[in-house]
Amino acid sequence: MTDRGRICAFTGHRAVPEQERDRIRKALVRTVESLYADGFRTFCAGGAMGFDRMAAETVLALKQKYPDLRLALVLPCRDQAERWEREERDIYLRQMRDADEVEVLSERYYDGCMRARNRSLIDRAEHLVAYVTTCRSGSAQTLRMAEEKGIPVTNLA
């Protein structure tokens, strides 16, 4: 079995301002490469639109340079993308196909499944990379969970 190395998780807002996207993409590359140099090999994302998608795309692109890099998707529910636009759903399905590991926590959406996904990400992480700009969001709650657990956080906001 491949060494999973240290594990990093991502959390961030679904809405990422257009004017911020290039800066965040570059910061993600620098951050993932720096964490890779520190022994991180598995990077976990929650499969949401916005920052999660950007983070997953970064890991998938860097696998060309670092073949032992792993993308693990931790999805809240099997029907997460059911109501998304076709283009968004196609990207989601491609990421699921290209990921090294996909874990689905629930068959169906239920109130609290996103929080359960966020808790699962924190439970496995040794580092959290975030894009959190407000203190009132699921991503901010996930960042606080990491801080409470003593997990180092890199916030790219």
Side-chain angles (χ1 to χ4, degrees):
M1 181 175 219
T2 305
D3 178 19
R4 293 170 57 117
R6 298 176 71 194
I7 299 173
C8 175
F10 296 108
T11 192
H13 303 303
R14 287 180 181 88
V16 177
E18 182 72 38
Q19 67 272 17
E20 283 282 290
R21 292 179 190 166
D22 284 341
R23 181 192 66 77
I24 293 168
R25 283 186 186 98
K26 289 173 185 169
L28 275 166
V29 169
R30 285 190 309 272
T31 302
V32 170
E33 286 189 319
S34 175
L35 289 166
Y36 181 89
D38 287 341
F40 287 86
R41 295 296 180 269
T42 300
F43 291 80
C44 302
M49 291 185 271
F51 184 74
D52 275 8
R53 172 172 301 146
M54 294 171 71
E57 288 296 319
T58 299
V59 173
L60 290 171
L62 286 172
K63 284 175 67 84
Q64 301 299 314
K65 187 174 181 180
Y66 308 106
D68 58 338
L69 202 58
R70 296 174 42 81
L71 174 64
L73 295 178
V74 180
L75 308 178
C77 53
R78 193 165 305 283
D79 57 351
Q80 174 172 253
E82 190 174 273
R83 294 189 174 120
W84 294 0
E85 297 292 326
R86 180 184 174 145
E87 182 181 339
E88 299 290 336
R89 206 170 42 250
D90 288 348
I91 295 168
Y92 174 79
L93 293 172
R94 181 183 50 76
Q95 286 186 348
M96 285 179 64
R97 183 195 68 223
D98 294 345
D100 297 286
E101 178 183 341
V102 177
E103 180 179 354
V104 179
L105 301 178
S106 173
E107 285 303 310
R108 295 267 172 234
Y109 175 86
Y110 65 90
D111 188 32
C113 72
M114 300 299 176
R115 181 175 166 78
R117 184 262 327 267
N118 296 343
R119 169 58 64 198
S120 181
L121 288 167
I122 294 306
D123 285 347
R124 64 187 75 206
E126 297 173 61
H127 193 97
L128 180 69
V129 175
Y131 173 71
V132 176
T133 61
T134 178
C135 63
R136 299 186 71 140
S137 68
S139 295
Q141 185 180 58
T142 306
L143 189 148
R144 286 190 298 274
M145 284 186 233
E147 291 174 339
E148 290 167 4
K149 194 174 173 184
I151 296 171
V153 174
T154 301
N155 189 353
L156 303 179

